Amino acid sequence: MKNKKSAGIVALVIFLMITAFFMDSFLVFQNLIYDRFYESEDPVSQEIVIVGIDDLSYEKIGRWPYSRTMQSQIFENILRDKPAALGIDILYDSKTETQDDQKLIDTLKEQPVVCGSILVGGKEQWGYLSDDSYIAPFGELKEQVSTGYINASLRPEDNGVVRKAVLSKIFDAEWHRSFAGAVYEKSLRHQDPDLADALSFPAKALYIDYAGKPTAFENVSAYLVYEGMIPDGFFEDKIVLFGPYSLGMQDEYLTPVNKDEKMFGVEIHANIIQNIINGSFKEDLPGWVDLMLILLAALLVFFVSRRAKPLAALLINATMVGAFLLMGKLLYSQGMVFQVIYPILTIFVLYIITIIYNYLEQMIERKRITGIFGKYVAPQIVNKILAKGEESLKLGGDRKYISVLFVDIRGFTPLSEKATPEEVVGILNEYLDLCAKAIFHNGGTLDKFIGDAAMAFYNAPLDLADHALCAVKSAWEMKQGAQLLVKGLEEKYGRAVQFGIGINSG
């Protein structure tokens, strides 16, 4: 591409990509790249166990919700082993039978227990704005347990896939911790109260580094726990999560690790807790770094488009795409998420524009050169000029050995005096067309028409092997073609003419 035009195109593409970056326009494609290339399974933590309200529990105990007395029995059997923490992914926002509720309170009080809560943001509907609401365990229970919000971090641009976790947030002018964060704090307090007191979580969305696919964490049926069929000490010093583990309870979500099988909410909490333990959350790179990489990609394509041939440019651009993907992988392994889609799109868009621009430029140049030389030289010579470029023709001329052919129509002057103007033009057109075809057919260059004469030369502007022979061949074709023309002109006009041809090499 020409410097000024190509620089303008590059600047425009950079502007569009930066705008798209700030608007998250291609976040869906960004997520697809990370799901396909970067997400991988890791060993799940043996410190975390899930007690699931599963299909076996449905079959043996019945449909949820169980009585709170029955739930208390399950929790007693777990707490008897002295776990590091028990996270109950259930919302106890209302009371039931007084005796059952009291049994639940007595079981959970003064224990390392966290119950679920929900933060419901106000929204506008029919012109009215509803207030924020905090749905927490009912009053007496809330006083005995810790709470953490169980809201799944679902963003519209993620298409229903849970990718991020927010470990703490200000809601209704108060700080709240997520369910997973509160459970981890309880478990940490079990090990070291001082560390638990100093614990803090960032109030921003972090990418969850999923350890495995659904059902990867160790899990046992709530029914088996209820019946006391789990070995003594099984839950000791472990983080135990209790929650829905059956499709019937509608608490499952899509995750990056598997788009075909949903993961239960309690498993997502388990993954978040493992991320907290391992410090394996992923964070976005600073925005200015992404912008610099977009700029770098554009400049590299600009440089390549000016220096490399089309095939080489394709290979180099493909290599750059691979390099950016590898960079994204390396950064991901270091806990940083690089918006790799934007440099890749920059490379792709600029490469396509370069191809289109160069194609149009070549078409215009071809048309221009053909317009200049097509009337004077044979098509094959025009093609050679197009292939080598107009610069192959030396400015100011070139001294070389060539052959020159002159041809004129003998007896044309007396003929033109007797024929009508239309007849004269017709005769000239037919004879001169024959001359031009014979010249072009043998690689000659038509220099000029001079009335009823024509001049051509061979071995210029491009080299022509056996140029003298080519000139003679042209003359022979003119002579042979003239015989047919003579016969046709006699029949058409009642008159005939002959060619006079001369050739010289020097």
Side-chain angles (χ1 to χ4, degrees):
M1 292 191 287
K2 297 291 186 281
N3 288 347
K4 289 185 178 179
K5 291 183 179 179
S6 58
I9 292 172
V10 170
L12 177 61
V13 172
I14 291 173
F15 171 77
L16 293 175
M17 285 301 158
I18 290 176
T19 302
F21 171 78
F22 282 113
M23 296 178 65
D24 282 338
S25 301
F26 299 103
L27 191 58
V28 172
F29 301 103
Q30 166 75 12
N31 291 335
L32 288 175
I33 290 175
Y34 273 83
D35 295 349
R36 182 174 295 274
F37 295 108
Y38 300 155
E39 279 289 350
S40 59
E41 295 185 42
D42 299 315
V44 297
S45 174
Q46 300 303 309
E47 301 175 44
I48 303 171
V49 179
I50 295 173
V51 176
I53 309 167
D54 58 0
D55 293 337
L56 179 62
S57 303
Y58 264 56
E59 180 183 346
K60 299 295 185 179
I61 302 177
R63 295 185 62 82
W64 181 267
Y66 309 145
S67 71
R68 287 180 177 171
T69 297
M70 185 176 294
Q71 294 179 50
S72 298
Q73 184 61 55
I74 295 172
F75 300 145
E76 283 181 5
N77 292 345
I78 295 171
L79 294 169
R80 187 182 302 121
D81 284 349
K82 298 189 181 303
L86 169 60
I88 303 174
D89 186 15
I90 299 293
L91 190 62
Y92 294 115
D93 58 321
S94 60
K95 295 183 178 182
T96 59
E97 297 292 334
T98 302
Q99 184 176 354
D100 288 349
D101 292 344
Q102 189 59 49
K103 176 64 174 174
L104 182 65
I105 294 170
D106 293 341
T107 300
L108 300 183
K109 69 180 181 181
E110 299 180 0
Q111 296 287 345
V113 174
V114 177
C115 291
S117 63
I118 296 180
L119 308 180
V120 182
K123 61 181 180 179
E124 186 175 351
Q125 189 174 19
W126 301 308
Y128 295 95
L129 182 64
S130 60
D131 296 330
D132 294 341
S133 56
Y134 174 52
I135 304 175
F138 61 89
E140 295 89 336
L141 178 61
K142 184 181 178 183
E143 295 175 0
Q144 302 298 329
V145 298
S146 297
T147 60
Y149 56 84
I150 58 177
N151 305 58
S153 181
L154 286 171
R155 303 177 300 167
E157 60 268 26
D158 286 334
N159 294 327
V161 178
V162 180
R163 300 180 182 278
K164 292 187 174 183
V166 181
L167 300 181
S168 65
K169 63 174 65 175
I170 296 178
F171 184 84
D172 199 18
E174 292 184 5
W175 276 99
H176 293 267
R177 280 188 175 169
S178 69
F179 178 76
V183 171
Y184 175 73
E185 181 189 7
K186 282 290 183 184
S187 69
L188 189 61
R189 193 169 297 281
H190 175 75
Q191 302 171 25
D192 191 331
D194 291 336
L195 286 178
D197 290 336
L199 183 65
S200 63
F201 296 116
K204 61 181 178 180
L206 302 171
Y207 289 90
I208 304 171
D209 182 21
Y210 284 91
K213 294 182 179 180
T215 71
F217 282 90
E218 186 174 15
N219 60 87
V220 295
S221 171
Y223 165 72
L224 298 179
V225 177
Y226 175 71
E227 293 292 343
M229 300 172 68
I230 304 299
D232 291 341
F234 180 78
F235 299 111
E236 185 177 356
D237 294 331
K238 292 184 179 179
I239 297 173
V240 183
L241 301 178
F242 175 85
Y245 213 72
S246 171
L247 296 176
M249 298 188 71
Q250 299 182 345
D251 185 38
E252 62 274 353
Y253 306 88
L254 292 174
T255 62
V257 292
N258 192 333
K259 298 294 182 60
D260 299 320
E261 183 181 358
K262 292 184 175 182
M263 183 178 287
F264 295 111
V266 69
E267 296 179 277
I268 295 176
H269 293 309
N271 275 281
I272 297 172
I273 292 170
Q274 176 159 333
N275 280 195
I276 297 173
I277 294 172
N278 297 338
S280 55
F281 284 111
K282 312 298 181 184
E283 297 186 54
D284 286 306
L285 278 176
W288 67 267
V289 177
D290 287 297
L291 297 181
M292 289 299 101
L293 291 172
I294 292 173
L295 180 61
L296 174 63
L299 293 177
L300 287 173
V301 176
F302 174 68
F303 179 80
V304 169
S305 68
R306 294 181 59 199
R307 299 299 182 91
K309 294 182 178 179
L311 180 58
L314 174 61
L315 295 176
I316 293 171
N317 286 326
T319 301
M320 285 194 291
V321 169
F324 276 114
L325 287 172
L326 180 59
M327 181 190 299
K329 178 69 173 178
L330 294 174
L331 288 171
Y332 191 78
S333 67
Q334 299 300 313
M336 292 172 284
V337 174
F338 158 41
Q339 303 294 320
V340 67
I341 186 65
Y342 296 99
I344 289 177
L345 277 177
T346 301
I347 293 171
F348 179 77
V349 170
L350 280 176
Y351 177 69
I352 295 299
I353 290 175
T354 300
I355 291 176
I356 295 173
Y357 184 90
N358 288 341
Y359 174 77
L360 294 176
E361 192 176 57
Q362 289 174 11
M363 290 294 293
I364 293 171
E365 183 70 3
R366 184 181 185 90
K367 186 176 181 180
R368 188 183 70 84
I369 291 177
T370 302
I372 294 173
F373 296 98
K375 298 176 183 179
Y376 306 104
V377 299
Q380 59 268 33
I381 296 179
V382 174
N383 290 334
K384 289 181 180 179
I385 294 173
L386 289 170
K388 294 184 177 181
E390 194 176 354
E391 60 274 8
S392 63
L393 304 179
K394 184 177 178 182
L395 186 64
D398 190 15
R399 180 180 293 273
K400 63 192 305 184
Y401 195 87
I402 66 172
S403 296
V404 182
L405 179 149
F406 289 92
V407 57
D408 70 345
I409 302 175
R410 291 177 177 173
F412 182 74
T413 300
L415 172 65
S416 63
E417 293 174 350
K418 297 178 182 179
T420 65
E422 291 80 8
E423 289 175 337
V424 171
V425 172
I427 294 169
L428 271 176
N429 283 343
E430 292 194 53
Y431 267 92
L432 295 180
D433 182 61
L434 169 62
C435 292
K437 288 180 178 178
I439 293 167
F440 289 164
H441 182 252
N442 292 282
T445 298
L446 179 60
D447 181 56
K448 62 175 72 70
F449 289 119
I450 314 165
D452 63 330
M455 173 182 172
F457 49 81
Y458 299 77
N459 202 36
L462 300 180
D463 293 340
L464 178 66
D466 298 326
H467 54 86
L469 178 60
C470 291
V472 173
K473 285 183 177 180
S474 297
W476 181 255
E477 289 183 14
M478 293 177 193
K479 178 175 171 34
Q480 295 298 108
Q483 295 177 7
L484 297 175
L485 278 178
V486 167
K487 183 178 179 181
L489 288 173
E490 286 179 343
E491 294 175 356
K492 190 173 183 179
Y493 300 110
R495 299 178 177 86
V497 293
Q498 296 293 331
F499 279 153
I501 306 172
I503 300 171
N504 186 63
S505 294

